[in-house]
Amino acid sequence: MQRRVLLMAAAATGAGLLAGCAALPRTVVITEAQLQERLAGQFPQRRRVMSLLDLDIGAPALKLLPEQGRVAARLTVDASERLTRKSATGTVDADSALRFEPSDMSLRLYQVRVARFELADAGGAWPAPVRQAAAVVAEQLLEDQPVWRASSSQADRLRRAGVRDVQVRITAAGIELTLDEGTPR
């Protein structure tokens, strides 16, 4: 009888430990809508470029490009030149690959390409050389920007599970994250 009680207690203790250490799913999908919602909370943003230009950037409209392994975004921009107070409004169309950054458990833009940067003021469109220079600056500003970050509890759970790397794949269903679990620490 006493042996049966001990076996039942041991089984209950083991079940409790297993429940507390439930395995992480190997693959997680972040849908386009979830990513869009997460990004919306980070905008609008204000950026200063070389102490000459202030940019107010609106929340991007996203589109997944699974056949290219990239994410496209259209951003609205209000630009103010600080010396002459000249201002303009426009849009930026860009696309980017994504990479996982383990130091802060985030997804970041990688290999950003600006396809189009249109700016216009009361006098019309800004000259092509200015727009081209602005496109280069936009690529530099967007490169390595986080677009998604694990919550602190998610990040702690990933670290405890020993996740060292995450493979990122863009599919029609969303951004697929495949966890590479190492030895738990």
mmCIF file with all atom_site columns, all heavy atoms in Angstrom, residues 19-33:
data_model
loop_
_atom_site.group_PDB
_atom_site.id
_atom_site.type_symbol
_atom_site.label_atom_id
_atom_site.label_alt_id
_atom_site.label_comp_id
_atom_site.label_asym_id
_atom_site.label_entity_id
_atom_site.label_seq_id
_atom_site.pdbx_PDB_ins_code
_atom_site.Cartn_x
_atom_site.Cartn_y
_atom_site.Cartn_z
_atom_site.occupancy
_atom_site.B_iso_or_equiv
_atom_site.pdbx_formal_charge
_atom_site.auth_seq_id
_atom_site.auth_comp_id
_atom_site.auth_asym_id
_atom_site.auth_atom_id
_atom_site.pdbx_PDB_model_num
ATOM 1   N N   . ALA A 1 19 ? 4.449  19.265 -17.240 1.00 0.00 ? 19 ALA A N   1
ATOM 2   C CA  . ALA A 1 19 ? 3.526  20.335 -17.605 1.00 0.00 ? 19 ALA A CA  1
ATOM 3   C C   . ALA A 1 19 ? 4.224  21.694 -17.524 1.00 0.00 ? 19 ALA A C   1
ATOM 4   O O   . ALA A 1 19 ? 4.001  22.564 -18.348 1.00 0.00 ? 19 ALA A O   1
ATOM 5   C CB  . ALA A 1 19 ? 2.306  20.323 -16.701 1.00 0.00 ? 19 ALA A CB  1
ATOM 6   N N   . GLY A 1 20 ? 5.095  21.872 -16.536 1.00 0.00 ? 20 GLY A N   1
ATOM 7   C CA  . GLY A 1 20 ? 5.820  23.132 -16.385 1.00 0.00 ? 20 GLY A CA  1
ATOM 8   C C   . GLY A 1 20 ? 6.874  23.332 -17.454 1.00 0.00 ? 20 GLY A C   1
ATOM 9   O O   . GLY A 1 20 ? 7.304  24.444 -17.708 1.00 0.00 ? 20 GLY A O   1
ATOM 10  N N   . CYS A 1 21 ? 7.307  22.264 -18.073 1.00 0.00 ? 21 CYS A N   1
ATOM 11  C CA  . CYS A 1 21 ? 8.363  22.341 -19.088 1.00 0.00 ? 21 CYS A CA  1
ATOM 12  C C   . CYS A 1 21 ? 7.825  21.984 -20.454 1.00 0.00 ? 21 CYS A C   1
ATOM 13  O O   . CYS A 1 21 ? 8.527  21.390 -21.263 1.00 0.00 ? 21 CYS A O   1
ATOM 14  C CB  . CYS A 1 21 ? 9.505  21.389 -18.725 1.00 0.00 ? 21 CYS A CB  1
ATOM 15  S SG  . CYS A 1 21 ? 10.295 21.777 -17.169 1.00 0.00 ? 21 CYS A SG  1
ATOM 16  N N   . ALA A 1 22 ? 6.585  22.296 -20.707 1.00 0.00 ? 22 ALA A N   1
ATOM 17  C CA  . ALA A 1 22 ? 5.991  21.963 -22.002 1.00 0.00 ? 22 ALA A CA  1
ATOM 18  C C   . ALA A 1 22 ? 6.871  22.484 -23.128 1.00 0.00 ? 22 ALA A C   1
ATOM 19  O O   . ALA A 1 22 ? 7.368  23.596 -23.082 1.00 0.00 ? 22 ALA A O   1
ATOM 20  C CB  . ALA A 1 22 ? 4.593  22.567 -22.099 1.00 0.00 ? 22 ALA A CB  1
ATOM 21  N N   . ALA A 1 23 ? 7.062  21.652 -24.121 1.00 0.00 ? 23 ALA A N   1
ATOM 22  C CA  . ALA A 1 23 ? 7.949  22.001 -25.237 1.00 0.00 ? 23 ALA A CA  1
ATOM 23  C C   . ALA A 1 23 ? 7.376  23.160 -26.039 1.00 0.00 ? 23 ALA A C   1
ATOM 24  O O   . ALA A 1 23 ? 6.167  23.294 -26.194 1.00 0.00 ? 23 ALA A O   1
ATOM 25  C CB  . ALA A 1 23 ? 8.134  20.781 -26.139 1.00 0.00 ? 23 ALA A CB  1
ATOM 26  N N   . LEU A 1 24 ? 8.264  24.001 -26.521 1.00 0.00 ? 24 LEU A N   1
ATOM 27  C CA  . LEU A 1 24 ? 7.864  25.086 -27.408 1.00 0.00 ? 24 LEU A CA  1
ATOM 28  C C   . LEU A 1 24 ? 7.496  24.503 -28.760 1.00 0.00 ? 24 LEU A C   1
ATOM 29  O O   . LEU A 1 24 ? 8.080  23.511 -29.187 1.00 0.00 ? 24 LEU A O   1
ATOM 30  C CB  . LEU A 1 24 ? 9.026  26.054 -27.605 1.00 0.00 ? 24 LEU A CB  1
ATOM 31  C CG  . LEU A 1 24 ? 9.449  26.879 -26.412 1.00 0.00 ? 24 LEU A CG  1
ATOM 32  C CD1 . LEU A 1 24 ? 10.750 27.627 -26.729 1.00 0.00 ? 24 LEU A CD1 1
ATOM 33  C CD2 . LEU A 1 24 ? 8.380  27.864 -26.033 1.00 0.00 ? 24 LEU A CD2 1
ATOM 34  N N   . PRO A 1 25 ? 6.553  25.118 -29.453 1.00 0.00 ? 25 PRO A N   1
ATOM 35  C CA  . PRO A 1 25 ? 6.293  24.647 -30.816 1.00 0.00 ? 25 PRO A CA  1
ATOM 36  C C   . PRO A 1 25 ? 7.537  24.889 -31.670 1.00 0.00 ? 25 PRO A C   1
ATOM 37  O O   . PRO A 1 25 ? 8.241  25.876 -31.482 1.00 0.00 ? 25 PRO A O   1
ATOM 38  C CB  . PRO A 1 25 ? 5.121  25.513 -31.278 1.00 0.00 ? 25 PRO A CB  1
ATOM 39  C CG  . PRO A 1 25 ? 5.088  26.676 -30.363 1.00 0.00 ? 25 PRO A CG  1
ATOM 40  C CD  . PRO A 1 25 ? 5.742  26.263 -29.084 1.00 0.00 ? 25 PRO A CD  1
ATOM 41  N N   . ARG A 1 26 ? 7.843  23.992 -32.550 1.00 0.00 ? 26 ARG A N   1
ATOM 42  C CA  . ARG A 1 26 ? 9.039  24.119 -33.388 1.00 0.00 ? 26 ARG A CA  1
ATOM 43  C C   . ARG A 1 26 ? 8.879  25.227 -34.424 1.00 0.00 ? 26 ARG A C   1
ATOM 44  O O   . ARG A 1 26 ? 9.832  25.896 -34.774 1.00 0.00 ? 26 ARG A O   1
ATOM 45  C CB  . ARG A 1 26 ? 9.322  22.789 -34.077 1.00 0.00 ? 26 ARG A CB  1
ATOM 46  C CG  . ARG A 1 26 ? 10.478 22.830 -35.019 1.00 0.00 ? 26 ARG A CG  1
ATOM 47  C CD  . ARG A 1 26 ? 11.486 21.757 -34.712 1.00 0.00 ? 26 ARG A CD  1
ATOM 48  N NE  . ARG A 1 26 ? 12.458 21.651 -35.776 1.00 0.00 ? 26 ARG A NE  1
ATOM 49  C CZ  . ARG A 1 26 ? 13.529 22.418 -35.873 1.00 0.00 ? 26 ARG A CZ  1
ATOM 50  N NH1 . ARG A 1 26 ? 13.757 23.347 -34.992 1.00 0.00 ? 26 ARG A NH1 1
ATOM 51  N NH2 . ARG A 1 26 ? 14.377 22.258 -36.863 1.00 0.00 ? 26 ARG A NH2 1
ATOM 52  N N   . THR A 1 27 ? 7.650  25.428 -34.912 1.00 0.00 ? 27 THR A N   1
ATOM 53  C CA  . THR A 1 27 ? 7.391  26.454 -35.917 1.00 0.00 ? 27 THR A CA  1
ATOM 54  C C   . THR A 1 27 ? 6.247  27.348 -35.454 1.00 0.00 ? 27 THR A C   1
ATOM 55  O O   . THR A 1 27 ? 5.236  26.861 -34.970 1.00 0.00 ? 27 THR A O   1
ATOM 56  C CB  . THR A 1 27 ? 7.033  25.800 -37.271 1.00 0.00 ? 27 THR A CB  1
ATOM 57  O OG1 . THR A 1 27 ? 8.116  24.973 -37.673 1.00 0.00 ? 27 THR A OG1 1
ATOM 58  C CG2 . THR A 1 27 ? 6.791  26.847 -38.336 1.00 0.00 ? 27 THR A CG2 1
ATOM 59  N N   . VAL A 1 28 ? 6.452  28.644 -35.602 1.00 0.00 ? 28 VAL A N   1
ATOM 60  C CA  . VAL A 1 28 ? 5.452  29.644 -35.238 1.00 0.00 ? 28 VAL A CA  1
ATOM 61  C C   . VAL A 1 28 ? 5.210  30.506 -36.474 1.00 0.00 ? 28 VAL A C   1
ATOM 62  O O   . VAL A 1 28 ? 6.149  30.834 -37.200 1.00 0.00 ? 28 VAL A O   1
ATOM 63  C CB  . VAL A 1 28 ? 5.965  30.530 -34.080 1.00 0.00 ? 28 VAL A CB  1
ATOM 64  C CG1 . VAL A 1 28 ? 4.977  31.629 -33.746 1.00 0.00 ? 28 VAL A CG1 1
ATOM 65  C CG2 . VAL A 1 28 ? 6.281  29.683 -32.859 1.00 0.00 ? 28 VAL A CG2 1
ATOM 66  N N   . VAL A 1 29 ? 3.953  30.880 -36.717 1.00 0.00 ? 29 VAL A N   1
ATOM 67  C CA  . VAL A 1 29 ? 3.620  31.735 -37.858 1.00 0.00 ? 29 VAL A CA  1
ATOM 68  C C   . VAL A 1 29 ? 3.055  33.052 -37.340 1.00 0.00 ? 29 VAL A C   1
ATOM 69  O O   . VAL A 1 29 ? 2.130  33.065 -36.526 1.00 0.00 ? 29 VAL A O   1
ATOM 70  C CB  . VAL A 1 29 ? 2.618  31.048 -38.809 1.00 0.00 ? 29 VAL A CB  1
ATOM 71  C CG1 . VAL A 1 29 ? 2.206  31.991 -39.928 1.00 0.00 ? 29 VAL A CG1 1
ATOM 72  C CG2 . VAL A 1 29 ? 3.212  29.769 -39.384 1.00 0.00 ? 29 VAL A CG2 1
ATOM 73  N N   . ILE A 1 30 ? 3.634  34.150 -37.807 1.00 0.00 ? 30 ILE A N   1
ATOM 74  C CA  . ILE A 1 30 ? 3.115  35.482 -37.527 1.00 0.00 ? 30 ILE A CA  1
ATOM 75  C C   . ILE A 1 30 ? 2.394  35.916 -38.799 1.00 0.00 ? 30 ILE A C   1
ATOM 76  O O   . ILE A 1 30 ? 3.015  36.038 -39.857 1.00 0.00 ? 30 ILE A O   1
ATOM 77  C CB  . ILE A 1 30 ? 4.245  36.474 -37.198 1.00 0.00 ? 30 ILE A CB  1
ATOM 78  C CG1 . ILE A 1 30 ? 5.047  35.992 -35.995 1.00 0.00 ? 30 ILE A CG1 1
ATOM 79  C CG2 . ILE A 1 30 ? 3.685  37.869 -36.963 1.00 0.00 ? 30 ILE A CG2 1
ATOM 80  C CD1 . ILE A 1 30 ? 6.344  36.755 -35.786 1.00 0.00 ? 30 ILE A CD1 1
ATOM 81  N N   . THR A 1 31 ? 1.093  36.135 -38.702 1.00 0.00 ? 31 THR A N   1
ATOM 82  C CA  . THR A 1 31 ? 0.335  36.487 -39.898 1.00 0.00 ? 31 THR A CA  1
ATOM 83  C C   . THR A 1 31 ? 0.623  37.935 -40.296 1.00 0.00 ? 31 THR A C   1
ATOM 84  O O   . THR A 1 31 ? 1.118  38.736 -39.497 1.00 0.00 ? 31 THR A O   1
ATOM 85  C CB  . THR A 1 31 ? -1.181 36.329 -39.677 1.00 0.00 ? 31 THR A CB  1
ATOM 86  O OG1 . THR A 1 31 ? -1.605 37.295 -38.713 1.00 0.00 ? 31 THR A OG1 1
ATOM 87  C CG2 . THR A 1 31 ? -1.540 34.912 -39.236 1.00 0.00 ? 31 THR A CG2 1
ATOM 88  N N   . GLU A 1 32 ? 0.283  38.259 -41.519 1.00 0.00 ? 32 GLU A N   1
ATOM 89  C CA  . GLU A 1 32 ? 0.440  39.628 -42.015 1.00 0.00 ? 32 GLU A CA  1
ATOM 90  C C   . GLU A 1 32 ? -0.346 40.606 -41.137 1.00 0.00 ? 32 GLU A C   1
ATOM 91  O O   . GLU A 1 32 ? 0.149  41.684 -40.785 1.00 0.00 ? 32 GLU A O   1
ATOM 92  C CB  . GLU A 1 32 ? -0.045 39.693 -43.467 1.00 0.00 ? 32 GLU A CB  1
ATOM 93  C CG  . GLU A 1 32 ? 0.179  41.013 -44.145 1.00 0.00 ? 32 GLU A CG  1
ATOM 94  C CD  . GLU A 1 32 ? -0.231 40.953 -45.617 1.00 0.00 ? 32 GLU A CD  1
ATOM 95  O OE1 . GLU A 1 32 ? 0.312  40.116 -46.362 1.00 0.00 ? 32 GLU A OE1 1
ATOM 96  O OE2 . GLU A 1 32 ? -1.101 41.758 -45.995 1.00 0.00 ? 32 GLU A OE2 1
ATOM 97  N N   . ALA A 1 33 ? -1.561 40.219 -40.745 1.00 0.00 ? 33 ALA A N   1
ATOM 98  C CA  . ALA A 1 33 ? -2.394 41.084 -39.900 1.00 0.00 ? 33 ALA A CA  1
ATOM 99  C C   . ALA A 1 33 ? -1.749 41.286 -38.526 1.00 0.00 ? 33 ALA A C   1
ATOM 100 O O   . ALA A 1 33 ? -1.762 42.403 -37.991 1.00 0.00 ? 33 ALA A O   1
ATOM 101 C CB  . ALA A 1 33 ? -3.791 40.490 -39.752 1.00 0.00 ? 33 ALA A CB  1
#
